[in-house]
Amino acid sequence: MKEFQMSLQPVLARGVRYRWDEFRQQHQLLFPEGLLVLNTTGAAIVRLCHNRSIEQIRNKLAQSFSDADLGPDIHEFLERLVERGLIQWCADPEPRLQD
Amino acid sequence: MEQRTITGAQSTAKDDRMEPRPFALLAELTYRCPLHCPYCSNPLQLAKYRNELDTSTWQRVLTEASALGVVQVHFSGGEPLVRPDVVELVATARAVDLYSNLSTGATTADPQILANLREAGLDALQISLLDAREAENDFFAGAPSFKQKQSAVRAARQLGFPITLNVVLHRQNLSRLQEIIDLAVTWQVDRLELAHVQYTGWAFQNRSALLPSRAQVESAEQIVANARERTGDHLQILHVLPDYFQEYPKTCLNGWGRTFLTVAPDGVVLPCQTAREIPQLCFPNVQDGSLETIWFHDPVFQRFRGTDWMPEPCRSCDRREIDYGGCRCQAFLLAGDPAVTDPVCRLSPHHHLVEHELQQAERASPDFAYRVMSGGEGLGQQ
């Protein structure tokens, strides 16, 4: 993976909300007229999509998941959400939050 | 409502709580509307249902919906903005943890009410558009509305709303599909929903004027495919194909009483918003019981739930849990019986009825009748 991609910051697109559904014991991503059920890893990524680069998300996740490099997986997962208009890239040269 | 699982299967914890539970509630706040769209999904006998639930009853409905498992509410109508309590109801939806969508024809969507809705927590806004050109839009709507829609989109964008532009496609506007897509790009909306007419309600009455030719449908698919390549991630384009042209029926609402319910303006609870036109069925009212009791126990919600009710060819079909027999309203409208296979299915013994309509559609189309609340009918002129 190229370095510039790791510095990209994913943010939830307008109108997209994460929600835990207690009834169904599900992580959900809600958007206009739709709902996406996320697995545990997906939910963990989405919940970190705020003021963080992919690299920072990877580092954060490495603390709770296995030691394998999650970077490419995170990128691929986020790209799929970008295609569906649920995530947007916001390139930010100066990360505002230190992990 | 769209539902998908991403990044592999999710093992959902099952317990003894009842299944299925609805995900989405369509709250039709009123049948009143300044527009007269000839494909409206509201009942033909609009004037029969003038009574509307009061604010506190709607608030109870929203609270009960959330407790029942609903995660999204869609405020619609008629025109929901003609209700003076719409902002209050949006705030209630937010308070009970419902994701809220609102569909408007935008003729009454001034910047102030949009700002109030935003502040009350409305998540997403849908604005209808009937055509890319002002004259045609206003003609199909039976009322001047293009300019108001344009202003509403602009105001909503400034407020940071995610905006879906909803355009219903039919034989009289399909030739301007490219212009419609271009307009959505110019107006900078987030999503464009291009839904071909569903032939129930007013649209069934106006079917011969609205049903496109096969060539039009195929051309539309091509135009949308090309547009998707061009717009990429900037504009999400949803294209809902007309089911008359498909081999198998649509999975209507993910199946009867499975994921979706409607509460009509007068409090009638429906598995789908057009189902009240099926005379063989009797529907409960929120004033007679809780949504939970109605959803799980009312006979009409059980009537076509699952697969036990199915006749052949559905009963032994391996698609029975894919399309759940299709649309019950369509089965009634076309075959006169809501309990038969949707005639759109090529395996249905009534499929020739659909074929006949498609053949008719290859010829010229007559005028349509506007949606009106009184008994009178206005004929659209070509």
Side-chain angles (χ1 to χ4, degrees):
Chain A
M1 182 181 293
K2 291 176 187 168
E3 199 52 41
F4 74 89
Q5 290 175 317
M6 294 300 285
S7 66
L8 284 175
Q9 290 197 1
V11 289
L12 290 183
R14 266 184 301 192
V16 182
R17 270 211 267 151
Y18 163 82
R19 176 181 186 271
W20 167 253
D21 189 315
E22 187 61 37
F23 258 127
R24 301 173 177 91
Q25 298 288 299
Q26 269 178 5
H27 300 282
Q28 299 171 342
L29 210 50
L30 302 177
F31 51 95
E33 294 294 294
L35 173 153
L36 201 64
V37 178
L38 301 170
N39 69 7
T40 314
T41 325
I45 297 169
V46 161
R47 293 167 75 184
L48 291 170
C49 287
H50 181 67
N51 286 348
R52 286 186 183 87
S53 66
I54 297 183
E55 188 166 20
Q56 289 170 317
I57 292 173
R58 180 191 62 187
N59 295 342
K60 193 90 181 156
L61 283 181
Q63 297 165 14
S64 28
F65 293 89
S66 68
D67 53 4
D69 184 10
L70 287 166
D73 291 343
I74 296 170
H75 192 265
E76 191 199 324
F77 168 74
L78 290 170
E79 272 297 346
R80 282 158 66 194
L81 295 187
V82 168
E83 277 166 25
R84 303 196 54 186
L86 303 177
I87 289 276
Q88 286 169 347
W89 296 121
C90 117
D92 192 334
E94 290 178 79
R96 279 158 292 180
L97 193 94
Q98 296 302 317
D99 292 323
Chain B
M1 191 171 71
E2 197 182 353
Q3 267 177 260
R4 299 278 155 72
T5 304
I6 201 161
T7 68
Q10 164 89 4
S11 64
T12 304
K14 291 259 190 275
D15 57 21
D16 56 1
R17 285 176 294 199
M18 296 172 87
E19 301 275 348
R21 288 182 177 271
F23 279 92
L25 164 71
L26 176 65
E28 293 187 317
L29 299 182
T30 178
Y31 285 142
R32 289 174 288 148
C33 186
L35 304 186
H36 307 281
C37 310
Y39 42 70
C40 183
S41 64
N42 287 169
L44 292 171
Q45 303 293 321
L46 284 170
K48 255 170 66 183
Y49 312 112
R50 285 188 194 270
N51 289 341
E52 291 182 9
L53 296 180
D54 60 18
T55 309
S56 62
T57 309
W58 270 118
Q59 289 175 318
R60 172 171 69 80
V61 167
L62 294 168
T63 308
E64 288 179 0
S66 178
L68 180 56
V70 167
V71 299
Q72 287 223 9
V73 59
H74 189 133
F75 293 106
S76 181
E79 171 55 68
L81 298 187
V82 304
R83 287 273 305 208
D85 56 359
V86 63
V87 174
E88 206 178 330
L89 296 178
V90 164
T92 303
R94 185 66 190 217
V96 298
D97 195 28
L98 293 173
Y99 186 101
S100 57
N101 307 269
L102 184 139
S103 275
T104 176
T107 52
T108 52
D110 60 67
Q112 188 56 57
I113 193 165
L114 291 176
N116 294 344
L117 290 167
R118 189 76 177 137
E119 200 183 336
L122 182 67
D123 287 291
L125 193 66
Q126 297 200 1
I127 296 176
S128 69
L129 181 74
L130 292 88
D131 203 293
R133 298 183 190 172
E134 181 174 358
E136 279 81 355
N137 173 89
D138 293 357
F139 168 70
F140 293 132
S145 52
F146 184 88
K147 284 206 168 70
Q148 292 95 317
K149 290 170 188 292
Q150 186 173 19
S151 308
V153 168
R154 194 182 301 124
R157 217 175 49 225
Q158 280 166 2
L159 288 162
F161 268 120
I163 307 167
T164 301
L165 198 62
N166 284 77
V167 187
V168 175
L169 300 176
H170 50 82
R171 74 180 289 136
Q172 303 194 40
N173 67 2
L174 271 167
S175 62
R176 288 176 298 280
L177 178 56
Q178 186 61 56
E179 283 180 58
I180 290 168
I181 295 169
D182 293 343
L183 196 68
V185 172
T186 307
W187 285 5
Q188 297 173 49
V189 298
D190 303 275
R191 298 163 89 241
L192 173 63
E193 186 178 313
L194 299 165
H196 286 255
V197 170
Q198 303 283 337
Y199 294 97
T200 55
W202 290 85
F204 186 75
Q205 167 152 319
N206 287 317
R207 188 172 49 164
S208 53
L210 298 170
L211 193 64
S213 68
R214 191 170 287 276
Q216 282 184 296
V217 174
E218 284 167 3
S219 157
E221 282 188 88
Q222 196 53 53
I223 290 169
V224 170
N226 294 343
R228 279 197 180 122
E229 241 169 67
R230 241 185 17 258
T231 61
D233 304 332
H234 298 292
L235 175 69
Q236 296 289 316
I237 304 178
L238 281 85
H239 188 206
V240 183
L241 288 164
D243 61 354
Y244 272 41
F245 293 84
Q246 311 298 309
E247 212 177 338
Y248 298 110
K250 59 181 180 280
T251 309
C252 197
L253 303 169
N254 294 318
W256 184 271
R258 263 187 89 234
T259 63
F260 181 89
L261 80 165
T262 295
V263 176
D266 54 349
V268 165
V269 191
L270 304 161
C272 110
Q273 69 268 33
T274 55
R276 77 187 303 167
E277 304 250 69
I278 302 175
Q280 291 94 329
L281 302 178
C282 176
F283 297 98
N285 194 296
V286 292
Q287 283 158 331
D288 306 328
S290 73
L291 273 192
E292 172 138 350
T293 307
I294 289 169
W295 176 264
F296 286 119
H297 304 295
D298 192 273
V300 84
F301 275 84
Q302 318 267 20
R303 180 67 184 87
F304 302 115
R305 184 175 272 158
T307 55
D308 289 347
W309 63 275
M310 286 180 178
E312 291 294 356
C314 291
R315 179 173 283 275
S316 59
C317 181
D318 59 9
R319 294 181 55 86
R320 66 186 176 278
E321 286 185 283
I322 296 172
D323 57 37
Y324 291 94
C327 174
R328 298 302 88 226
C329 304
Q330 194 146 271
F332 162 69
L333 285 168
L334 289 170
D337 182 354
V340 297
T341 299
D342 186 335
V344 157
C345 182
R346 67 176 179 84
L347 304 170
S348 158
H350 299 99
H351 186 62
H352 63 276
L353 299 169
V354 174
E355 293 282 324
H356 175 75
E357 283 307 314
L358 293 177
Q359 281 158 18
Q360 295 290 314
E362 296 301 317
R363 306 191 191 109
S365 66
D367 296 346
F368 58 78
Y370 284 119
R371 168 208 197 272
V372 284
M373 205 138 194
S374 66
E377 282 179 9
L379 277 186
Q381 287 149 14
Q382 299 300 298

